[in-house]
Amino acid sequence: MYPITLRSVLLLGTALSVAAPALANQTDPETLFSEATQAEASAAGQGNDIIVTARRRSESAQDIPLAVTVIDAKQLDETGAFNVNRLQQLAPTLQFYSSNPRNTAVNIRGLGVPFGLTSDGFEQGVGIYIDDVYYARVASATFDFLDVAQIEVLRGPQGTLYGKNTTAGAINITTRQPTFDFEGRAEVSLGNFDFRQARMSLSGPLSETLAARIAVSDTTRSGTITNVTTGQHIQSLDNIGVRGQLLWEPSDNLRVTLVGDYNKQNAVCCGSVFVRAVATQRPLERQFAALAAAQNYAPPSTNLFDRLSDLDASLNAGNVIGGVALRVNWDAGPGTFTSITAWRTWDWKPENDRDFTGLPIVTLSQNPSQQDQYTQEFRYAYAGDRFDFVVGAFAFDQRIDTQGLEGQGAAASRWTINPSNPLSNDPTVLDGLTARNTQFLESTSLALFGQASWKVTDAFTIQPGVRLNYDEKRGFYRRRVFTGDGTELFGTETDARSRAQLGVFQPQESAPEDTDWNLTYDLTLSYELAPDVLAYGTYARSFKTIGINQNGLPTDTNGVPIQEAGSILPEKVDHFEIGLKTQFWNRRATLNLAAFRTQIEDFQATVTNGQFGVLRGFLANAEKVRSQGIEADFAVRPSERFNAYVSGAYTDAKYIRFVDAPCPVELRGGTTAAPGQTPSPPGTPGGISPANCDISGQRLPGVSEWAFSFGAEGNLPVRFLDKPGQIYLGYDGSYRSDFFSDASPSEATRIGGYHLSNFRLGFRSEDGLNLFAWVRNAFDENYFEQLFVGPGQTGLIAGLPGDPRTWGATASITL
């Protein structure tokens, strides 16, 4: 019922928007950046006003009572921040983790999505918007930015202003728009690891009322890890993107923009390297060292940063994302009416090696997915002398279909079956054992939202906001199990061979569904203490809606699926923030401070229990978590010859109460403790393992307590290639302290802190030519982006190392 209704709403919205007559002639406060505005924004943090649309109207970043990081096109291009992964080095409160495009997490202040393998059944807490269109699939964050004018990273709940409810923040990306003057941009970069990147955009008029813009980006790079089994270099880049826009402007008060984009990835990805083996509670002969020795297996290297892997299963990260959007801006009387109608599609074709070794244990791990997403947003924005407001309505409809294959190989019997069972020595028992998974998710979201701003006096402003949200989720999951000869197992078989096979994969079927209403609201008070000094305070009550488990349910000690784990409660968020925004030294210097405390009840966590049948993990509620901290952003431009910046964040993010969490790896694999029985110490072979663990008071995964970004650029006037311009030297650095890479903190999955340094040296002419050489991770810092706990409780830890030193050169021209 809902999908039909929503698609009707989308069509009706388009018709109403295009047919709306022009009633007034007023500058559209949401009109995306003109070239003059972009020129101002390019001086980010260097004494000029930075114009943002964070509150759905154009205003100075220093005038809004909101913690926001603004990064302009020049900074993105020259620092090599061509995707969100690179962006986190410029925004210390942003965390990005990706073991492959689907399994990508974007968090702000440690919150947003559960850390770990991604499930379709939960919402993103950090919204990604490109020209006002919500991108539900976080896989889009792994693609290259296309023709970007500016990026705003908004911290804290944003649901009363943005289409989808966002409980942790939003990444608001603005692209360059079609122009009625011809302009062109071209850029080519070459570097080590066969890095090649070409980007181009062209814009101009087709008639007096019609303009067009097209942008293309192509990035390739050889992988940074050598697979000794296949000879391939894995973790490569192979991205291509195209974005086309048509702007119809029949009058001064009506702008209609049609946008289409297509993005494709076809990398040799994604892999891992052996990191270590830790002691678990499994019997000694069933832990990694003994199992590997019994099969004469050794990792290709125990030097963590030799960057050698021996994965024997096929690897692929085929990924296509695209869509069409229609945006209408109509200056209707004293305000502006906006309609955004969008359809997006996502096609994911992965192949993985989920045993993290060169042994044929898990030989198939493929979960291709297809998504269709429809959104419709209506919004009206009014700006007056004393009173501003934005009101809107939002509809979201999503369907995701997934067809999964999980298969076992010839080495699985010895690795998985207890050695006391004679079948452990028979490689045919599990060889070819396959789980075929079929699942779908239908998700519907409807919302009304609004935010007002009342300027009580010239200095004091009250800003309330509210959002009413309805969500409906309906899922289906079915796992069928087949032996190597194609015989289907139904779970009722009693012979020893079948029981051993069912110990790996159990047939399952579930169809969770749920609905939820919630009311989000916030209140911000701001006061201008002096010219260019703004103080503000915010309270927000927000919600992340219900989640459902889409990837196989955990089982009890008897192997029976736990049906009540099919859905999880919504998150309930209480957010407090105070801040100070200042400019001084004739606006040459900017200092912004923010202190925040966010508390979440029924936090949605991703947990793994090491079972082969639920390798993706499953969702569960932690009773309460809290993230609190202090942030500072400082930028200075004493002259046009020098500028510098430093941003820092201290984040204290921890579980306040999570008493029934899965245990860390060193407490898994033993006999489950009976009521009143004392578990064995961690890492006791053949010991007694707790059924679950109390990790209250421990740190949230993926969050560093300290994170910094800093940099500077100096220039001198020169004449080069018979062109007047500047020679410049720039530096950008980042640091983050240690963090945990599993939902349950463990020393086995602690990633040490690291510091990255990037340099650039170049020439920038007055007529748009820019030539520069660059080196990233200049000191070749060895670090891990993620660590993974291997399946089967063997104690295997694998990891994804970060990029080594890379270097190259870039040439660009703007006409």
Side-chain angles (χ1 to χ4, degrees):
M1 174 181 176
Y2 276 101
I4 297 174
T5 303
L6 283 177
R7 291 183 179 117
S8 301
V9 170
L10 299 175
L11 295 172
L12 177 61
T14 304
L16 289 175
S17 301
V18 174
L23 297 181
N25 183 1
Q26 178 183 326
T27 301
D28 175 13
E30 293 190 283
T31 297
L32 300 177
F33 297 98
S34 66
E35 290 305 300
T37 303
Q38 291 176 35
E40 286 185 343
S42 71
Q46 299 171 11
N48 291 341
D49 280 345
I50 304 168
I51 306 303
V52 298
T53 57
R55 297 197 300 171
R56 299 312 199 190
R57 49 192 179 271
S58 298
E59 53 196 340
S60 168
Q62 288 301 111
D63 292 339
I64 62 174
L66 174 68
V68 56
T69 299
V70 184
I71 303 169
D72 72 308
K74 173 179 172 292
Q75 191 176 15
L76 290 170
D77 292 343
E78 294 187 355
T79 59
F82 58 82
N83 58 27
V84 176
N85 187 20
R86 302 288 184 90
L87 188 66
Q88 68 174 334
Q89 295 184 28
L90 302 176
T93 56
L94 180 69
Q95 296 94 34
F96 176 93
Y97 308 99
S98 181
S99 58
N100 61 39
R102 184 180 192 271
N103 296 310
T104 297
V106 180
N107 284 354
I108 292 175
R109 295 169 170 171
L111 304 174
V113 294
F115 187 89
L117 296 179
T118 301
S119 168
D120 297 326
F122 60 72
E123 302 290 328
Q124 309 297 319
V126 175
I128 298 176
Y129 297 85
I130 299 181
D131 292 342
D132 282 355
V133 175
Y134 174 67
Y135 282 49
R137 296 313 311 171
V138 75
S140 61
T142 66
F143 283 96
D144 296 354
F145 297 139
L146 264 176
D147 208 19
V148 168
Q150 185 165 286
I151 296 177
E152 303 158 15
V153 180
L154 286 63
R155 283 110 72 178
Q158 305 296 326
T160 62
L161 271 177
Y162 281 77
K164 199 78 171 72
N165 192 27
T166 54
T167 56
I171 299 175
N172 186 31
I173 300 174
T174 303
T175 69
R176 296 184 178 97
Q177 298 296 291
T179 60
F180 285 94
D181 296 318
F182 281 107
E183 69 167 42
R185 301 169 185 267
E187 177 185 292
V188 175
S189 297
L190 299 175
N192 63 335
F193 292 99
D194 294 324
F195 176 76
R196 289 169 291 176
Q197 185 176 74
R199 298 192 287 183
M200 180 276 292
S201 65
L202 185 65
S203 180
L206 300 179
S207 70
E208 291 185 355
T209 60
L210 193 64
R213 187 178 194 97
I214 187 168
V216 179
S217 175
D218 185 16
T219 303
T220 60
R221 190 196 69 180
S222 178
T224 57
I225 299 174
T226 300
N227 188 334
V228 299
T229 299
T230 63
Q232 293 179 310
H233 297 291
I234 60 178
Q235 303 303 116
S236 65
L237 297 175
D238 188 357
N239 303 342
I240 188 167
V242 180
R243 183 179 181 85
Q245 300 183 70
L246 283 175
L247 169 63
W248 179 48
E249 198 167 311
S251 64
D252 291 340
N253 54 7
L254 182 63
R255 294 168 57 91
V256 180
T257 307
L258 179 65
V259 184
D261 69 280
Y262 174 85
N263 304 271
K264 182 178 181 179
Q265 291 179 331
N266 194 27
V268 181
C269 183
C270 295
S272 59
V273 301
F274 173 84
V275 175
R276 64 178 66 95
V278 299
T280 71
Q281 305 278 34
R282 241 189 175 199
L284 190 61
E285 68 275 14
R286 302 190 67 195
Q287 298 198 31
F288 179 83
L291 290 168
Q295 301 192 60
N296 297 315
Y297 172 76
S301 176
T302 56
N303 184 331
L304 304 188
F305 295 100
D306 278 349
R307 300 179 184 274
L308 297 178
S309 181
D310 63 347
L311 303 181
D312 60 326
S314 297
L315 300 179
N316 185 43
N319 195 20
V320 174
I321 287 180
V324 178
L326 180 68
R327 177 189 172 101
V328 178
N329 281 327
W330 167 40
D331 293 339
T336 299
F337 171 78
T338 300
S339 169
I340 307 106
T341 306
W343 164 76
R344 299 209 58 76
T345 184
W346 175 60
D347 190 5
W348 169 235
K349 297 179 180 179
E351 295 179 274
N352 303 290
D353 191 332
R354 289 296 182 198
D355 60 47
F356 306 122
T357 74
L359 290 169
I361 303 169
V362 179
T363 55
L364 280 176
S365 182
Q366 304 171 6
N367 285 277
S369 296
Q370 307 83 41
Q371 178 208 245
D372 279 304
Q373 169 197 316
Y374 300 84
T375 57
Q376 173 64 57
E377 183 170 351
F378 296 115
R379 197 167 61 237
Y380 182 79
Y382 167 84
D385 293 335
R386 291 285 182 182
F387 187 70
D388 302 341
F389 69 84
V390 175
V391 294
F394 180 76
F396 170 85
D397 176 53
Q398 179 187 59
R399 166 89 185 207
I400 303 177
D401 289 278
T402 303
Q403 311 83 34
L405 283 177
E406 304 286 339
Q408 301 284 291
S413 293
R414 180 164 290 187
W415 200 267
T416 306
I417 301 173
N418 193 314
S420 62
N421 187 335
L423 294 176
S424 66
N425 295 314
D426 183 351
T428 68
V429 175
L430 298 184
D431 191 17
L433 182 70
T434 302
R436 299 178 184 175
N437 308 320
T438 302
Q439 63 190 85
F440 70 78
L441 171 70
E442 292 180 340
S443 180
T444 297
S445 182
L446 303 170
L448 299 173
F449 61 90
Q451 189 178 96
S453 180
W454 175 32
K455 199 167 187 177
V456 182
T457 69
D458 289 342
F460 180 52
T461 301
I462 299 175
Q463 180 182 289
V466 67
R467 178 189 185 93
L468 178 64
N469 217 79
Y470 169 77
D471 289 278
E472 178 181 291
K473 291 182 185 292
R474 185 168 69 91
F476 174 79
Y477 176 85
R478 175 186 291 149
R479 179 196 297 151
R480 300 175 65 189
V481 181
F482 296 86
T483 65
D485 62 7
T487 301
E488 184 170 4
L489 299 178
F490 297 96
T492 57
E493 292 79 4
T494 58
D495 62 283
R497 187 182 183 91
S498 296
R499 297 315 300 171
Q501 294 165 338
L502 291 169
V504 178
F505 293 132
Q506 279 275 351
Q508 275 197 37
E509 184 169 318
S510 61
E513 59 180 287
D514 209 345
T515 62
D516 184 50
W517 286 92
N518 63 66
L519 182 68
T520 290
Y521 49 90
D522 54 53
L523 177 66
T524 298
L525 307 179
S526 61
Y527 192 85
E528 190 174 1
L529 301 174
D532 295 326
V533 181
L534 179 70
Y536 67 91
T538 296
Y539 168 72
R541 174 69 162 174
S542 188
F543 294 84
K544 185 197 288 187
T545 191
I546 46 172
I548 57 177
N549 276 304
Q550 285 293 107
N551 300 290
L553 298 179
T555 58
D556 60 21
T557 55
N558 296 317
V560 178
I562 304 171
Q563 294 296 328
E564 55 267 30
S567 63
I568 57 173
L569 298 171
E571 291 184 354
K572 295 175 273 296
V573 182
D574 285 295
H575 173 77
F576 302 86
E577 184 167 334
I578 57 173
L580 186 69
K581 293 193 165 187
T582 67
Q583 286 186 307
F584 51 95
W585 195 13
N586 198 25
R587 293 194 172 184
R588 293 185 180 94
T590 300
L591 175 63
N592 295 335
L593 303 171
F596 66 92
R597 179 184 175 93
T598 304
Q599 186 167 288
I600 302 178
E601 295 182 8
D602 296 321
F603 176 76
Q604 295 175 356
T606 297
V607 296
T608 55
N609 61 0
Q611 297 175 9
F612 279 97
V614 286
L615 286 177
R616 301 199 56 77
F618 58 94
L619 298 178
N621 288 113
E623 290 93 324
K624 186 178 292 186
V625 305
R626 184 213 62 214
S627 177
Q628 62 184 10
I630 299 174
E631 302 162 348
D633 300 282
F634 175 72
V636 61
R637 185 186 178 100
S639 74
E640 64 180 20
R641 298 296 170 212
F642 180 77
N643 68 82
Y645 70 92
V646 59
S647 298
Y650 169 75
T651 306
D652 174 23
K654 63 178 58 176
Y655 298 103
I656 300 300
R657 182 173 171 79
F658 196 4
V659 299
D660 57 350
C663 295
V665 59
E666 61 269 20
L667 283 171
R668 302 178 193 169
T671 303
T672 303
Q677 193 173 20
T678 302
S680 304
T684 302
I688 299 172
S689 295
N692 43 54
C693 287
D694 183 353
I695 60 174
S696 303
Q698 300 195 46
R699 287 165 55 187
L700 288 177
V703 189
S704 296
E705 286 190 329
W706 294 97
F708 295 94
S709 298
F710 37 86
E713 182 181 295
N715 68 76
L716 292 172
V718 298
R719 191 173 187 87
F720 180 65
L721 299 176
D722 202 30
K723 294 177 180 288
Q726 306 168 348
I727 186 172
Y728 61 91
L729 174 64
Y731 167 79
D732 296 282
S734 62
Y735 168 79
R736 64 178 303 183
S737 60
D738 67 335
F739 61 95
F740 292 104
S741 190
D742 192 59
S744 299
S746 166
E747 287 300 314
T749 56
R750 181 196 293 268
I751 293 179
Y754 55 89
H755 164 227
L756 303 177
S757 290
N758 308 323
F759 294 90
R760 62 187 180 277
L761 173 66
F763 169 75
R764 188 186 297 125
S765 76
E766 295 178 1
D767 61 0
L769 177 66
N770 193 2
L771 305 172
F772 62 98
W774 45 264
V775 57
R776 297 173 186 132
N777 190 7
F779 302 113
D780 205 19
E781 178 91 352
N782 288 324
Y783 67 100
F784 280 101
E785 294 186 352
Q786 286 184 262
L787 295 178
F788 314 108
V789 178
Q793 328 289 13
T794 69
L796 171 63
I797 306 295
L800 176 62
D803 282 352
R805 179 193 297 119
T806 58
W807 48 265
T810 297
S812 67
I813 184 73
T814 300
L815 302 175

